[in-house]
């Protein structure tokens, strides 16, 4: 079994469940911190584990350019390379090709683009994006899609959506033919690729197929991921719904993607400059056309308020650079609203950043110290700020899950006061 999605409880449109991947069991709805180049900037892997990150995201475009897929593949994939034992998701590279690279040329075959690092020329197609993602070895990988720009006219949105549908079919075909080439467990130092909680003693060898008990009492069957055997876990490929800002095109894109058939579906092409209300409208209408029994992933969204809103609409997975990027710019999310730590008003403030936060930073340091670190351009400022912001996002999602289980709606009222269930 490469992916299993179990819904525990529904509450209105919201649902909480478990997504079981080869490397981790993930509670949903989940927020996935972004580890662009196999690193969540400023935060070492052991701290990410402590913060409760169950799955992190890697960017195929960046990793393909540096250090290169082959380097990562030889290390057993991203899990081995970055020593991360929980789940990983990689994007297809499409979004970065369209947003970061220069001189791109899009044809039916794929996209020719220039690296933002050194100007060298490269080509991504559905097939090469799958090849790269299989080499990187994330638990969940994404079909190669075209992120339609905003604004775009009707003809452009339709043509782009139709090409994404054709690329999805090509992505799936290549993946099905080559999915057993995933590099898990192929390196000698298998300590790095053995999923967390599975000690060497619990299994005679990671390469064997054997039922073992994990620390939480769950019994799982371990297999070598290197064998071309039908029972061996592989990666899971998700399809992506596009269609610009047009509801009818989104519906058609969803139907065509579902017809191809994927174990999970993403909503892409949002947060590309459109008004926030439009994002919400498109998300809500697209969700209606996605299967209820499959995980739904909203890509690249959003603020703490937005991730709560989308979880309540029935989104199961989200990722966003906002908590980590904002942290590096001194913008911190707290239960009392946003704090710009660079402001002089915090220079002598002895209180914690967020009195309601239980993270390491809020338990130990004052606003005055965090402000000083930021003003002094200390590396530690970025580290501590990122730890807090990620903690805030992950805790927010945990509260959302808890509320769904209790049959309540978790409301996030930043700045104006506290959500009714914020004290949970
Ligand atoms: Zn904190």
């Amino acid at each position: 079994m490469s992916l299993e999605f179990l819904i525990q409880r529904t509450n209105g449109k919201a649902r909480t469940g478990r997504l079981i991947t080869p490397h981790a069991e993930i509670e949903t709805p989940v927020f996935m911190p972004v580890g662009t180049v196999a690193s969540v900037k400023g935060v070492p892997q052991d701290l990410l584990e402590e913060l409760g990150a169950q799955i992190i995201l890697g960017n195929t475009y960046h990793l393909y350019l540096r250090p290169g897929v082959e380097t990562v593949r030889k290390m057993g994939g991203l899990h081995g390379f970055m020593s991360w034992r929980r789940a990983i998701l990689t994007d297809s590279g499409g979004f970065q090709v369209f947003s970061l690279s220069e001189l791109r040329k899009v044809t039916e075959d794929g996209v020719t683009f220039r690296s933002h690092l050194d100007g060298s020329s490269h080509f991504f197609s559905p097939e090469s994006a799958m090849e790269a993602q299989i080499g990187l070895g994330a638990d969940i990988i994404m079909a190669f899609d075209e992120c339609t720009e905003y604004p775009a006219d009707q003809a452009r949105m339709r043509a782009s959506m139709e090409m994404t549908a054709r690329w999805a079919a090509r992505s799936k075909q290549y993946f099905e033919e080559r999915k057993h080439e995933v590099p898990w467990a192929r390196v000698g130092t298998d300590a790095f690729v053995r999923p967390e909680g599975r000690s060497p003693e619990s299994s005679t060898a990671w390469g064997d197929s054997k039922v073992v008990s994990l620390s939480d009492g769950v019994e799982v069957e371990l297999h070598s991921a290197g064998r071309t055997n039908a029972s061996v876990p592989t990666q899971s490929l998700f399809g992506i719904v596009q269609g610009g800002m047009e509801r009818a095109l989104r519906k058609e894109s969803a139907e065509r993607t579902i017809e191809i058939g994927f174990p999970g579906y993403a909503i892409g092409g949002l947060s590309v400059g459109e008004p926030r209300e439009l994002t919400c409208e498109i998300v809500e209408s697209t969700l209606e056309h996605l299967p209820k029994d499959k995980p739904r992933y909203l890509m690249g969204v959003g603020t703490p308020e937005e991730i709560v809103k989308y979880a309540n609409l029935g989104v199961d997975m989200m990722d966003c650079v906002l908590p980590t990027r904002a942290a590096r710019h001194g913008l911190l999310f707290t239960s009392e609203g946003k704090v710009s730590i660079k402001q002089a008003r915090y220079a002598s403030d002895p209180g914690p950043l967020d009195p309601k936060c239980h993270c390491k930073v809020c338990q130990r340091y004052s606003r005055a110290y965090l402000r000083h670190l930021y003003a002094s351009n200390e590396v530690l400022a970025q580290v501590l700020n990122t730890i807090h912001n990620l903690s805030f996002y992950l805790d927010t999602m945990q509260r959302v899950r808890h509320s769904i289980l209790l049959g309540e709606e978790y409301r996030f009222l930043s700045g104006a006061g506290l959500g009714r269930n914020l004290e949970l």
Side-chain angles (χ1 to χ4, degrees):
M1 180 65 73
S2 298
L3 193 84
E4 205 175 341
F5 183 54
L6 309 167
I7 294 175
Q8 280 179 301
R9 176 96 192 242
T10 56
N11 178 25
K13 290 180 178 176
R15 65 259 196 95
T16 180
R18 287 180 182 276
L19 184 64
I20 303 163
T21 76
H23 286 88
E25 187 171 322
I26 300 151
E27 293 175 89
T28 62
V30 65
F31 178 77
M32 306 183 284
V34 178
T36 309
V37 295
S39 156
V40 175
K41 292 188 200 311
V43 188
Q45 276 65 313
D46 59 317
L47 278 179
L48 288 172
E49 289 165 1
E50 246 181 73
L51 288 172
Q54 308 169 74
I55 174 170
I56 58 172
L57 192 136
N59 289 127
T60 298
Y61 168 86
H62 290 283
L63 292 162
Y64 160 87
L65 289 177
R66 190 170 60 194
V69 173
E70 194 54 19
T71 299
V72 178
R73 194 186 64 76
K74 284 180 182 163
M75 296 289 291
L78 280 171
H79 290 93
F81 182 56
M82 67 184 289
S83 186
W84 178 254
R85 296 177 182 189
R86 296 182 183 174
I88 302 175
L89 180 149
T90 48
D91 63 4
S92 69
F95 184 78
Q96 271 80 23
V97 164
F98 290 100
S99 59
L100 279 181
S101 66
E102 293 169 8
L103 300 172
R104 56 178 188 263
K105 187 177 160 226
V106 185
T107 66
E108 186 67 31
D109 275 353
V111 189
T112 306
F113 61 96
R114 285 193 186 279
S115 160
H116 73 292
L117 295 174
D118 60 10
S120 55
S121 183
H122 301 271
F123 178 70
F124 266 1
S125 65
E127 292 77 18
S128 67
M130 289 305 103
E131 185 183 18
Q133 289 189 84
I134 291 170
L136 295 173
D139 296 76
I140 298 171
I141 68 175
M142 304 303 298
F144 191 63
D145 62 328
E146 184 182 47
C147 182
T148 318
E149 69 283 356
Y150 176 83
D153 64 30
Q154 183 76 17
R156 164 69 190 140
M157 285 191 287
R158 165 160 288 283
S160 179
M161 180 276 283
E162 289 183 345
M163 189 160 74
T164 286
R166 292 190 294 272
W167 283 0
R170 281 168 56 188
S171 295
K172 183 176 175 182
Q173 187 181 350
Y174 187 94
F175 175 71
E176 290 299 332
E177 288 166 4
R178 308 282 289 274
K179 63 185 178 185
H180 294 294
E181 293 177 13
V182 69
W184 300 335
R186 282 193 179 171
V187 288
T189 52
D190 67 357
F192 285 147
V193 290
R194 185 183 301 112
E196 191 180 39
R198 297 172 189 177
S199 66
E201 296 75 37
S202 66
S203 164
T204 50
W206 170 226
D208 287 353
S209 172
K210 185 185 179 185
V211 174
V212 296
S213 292
L214 302 185
S215 53
D216 55 4
V218 176
E219 289 207 330
V220 296
E221 193 174 356
L222 292 181
H223 300 278
S224 161
R227 294 179 192 165
T228 45
N229 177 319
S231 64
V232 167
T234 60
Q235 300 171 287
S236 294
L237 173 65
F238 279 22
I240 304 179
V241 174
Q242 290 285 350
M245 303 301 158
E246 192 65 44
R247 283 168 168 237
L249 287 178
R250 288 274 171 181
K251 178 174 185 282
E252 187 179 333
S253 179
E255 288 167 354
R256 292 174 70 161
T257 313
I258 291 163
E259 201 181 318
I260 297 165
F262 294 95
Y265 296 92
I267 304 175
L270 295 172
S271 282
V272 289
E274 77 281 9
R276 288 282 161 86
E277 307 76 58
L278 187 53
T279 316
C280 188
E281 185 193 314
I282 295 296
V283 171
E284 197 164 5
S285 72
T286 306
L287 283 170
E288 288 172 18
H289 307 297
L290 297 181
K292 288 189 167 49
D293 61 342
K294 298 274 167 52
R296 304 144 155 187
Y297 165 29
L298 176 56
M299 307 179 85
V301 172
T303 63
E305 293 91 332
E306 286 166 345
I307 62 168
V308 170
K309 182 168 64 183
Y310 292 128
N312 283 328
L313 287 175
V315 171
D316 305 301
M317 307 161 70
M318 282 170 268
D319 76 283
C320 192
V321 293
L322 186 59
T324 41
R325 184 174 290 167
R328 298 197 299 277
H329 291 94
L331 185 64
L332 302 164
F333 298 100
T334 79
S335 61
E336 295 170 345
K338 279 180 261 186
V339 168
S340 177
I341 201 65
K342 68 183 82 171
Q343 291 176 0
R345 58 196 279 210
Y346 301 119
S348 303
D349 189 336
L353 173 60
D354 182 350
K356 295 207 157 47
C357 179
H358 298 290
C359 87
K360 286 184 159 199
V361 179
C362 294
Q363 293 301 306
R364 183 158 190 165
Y365 304 106
S366 65
R367 288 180 165 186
Y369 183 61
L370 293 175
R371 195 257 171 188
H372 158 72
L373 290 178
Y374 189 84
S376 309
N377 205 20
E378 282 292 309
V379 171
L380 188 58
Q382 300 196 2
V383 174
L384 297 182
N385 291 348
T386 305
I387 289 172
H388 166 79
N389 268 1
L390 279 181
S391 180
F392 188 78
Y393 265 66
L394 294 167
D395 285 354
T396 298
M397 216 42 124
Q398 191 170 30
R399 291 192 176 100
V400 171
R401 291 194 295 267
H402 193 65
S403 295
I404 297 169
L405 281 174
L406 292 177
E408 296 174 352
E409 185 178 346
Y410 177 75
R411 281 173 295 170
F412 187 96
L413 302 169
S414 177
L418 301 179
R420 186 165 63 91
N421 297 318
L422 201 62
E423 304 287 356
L424 283 171

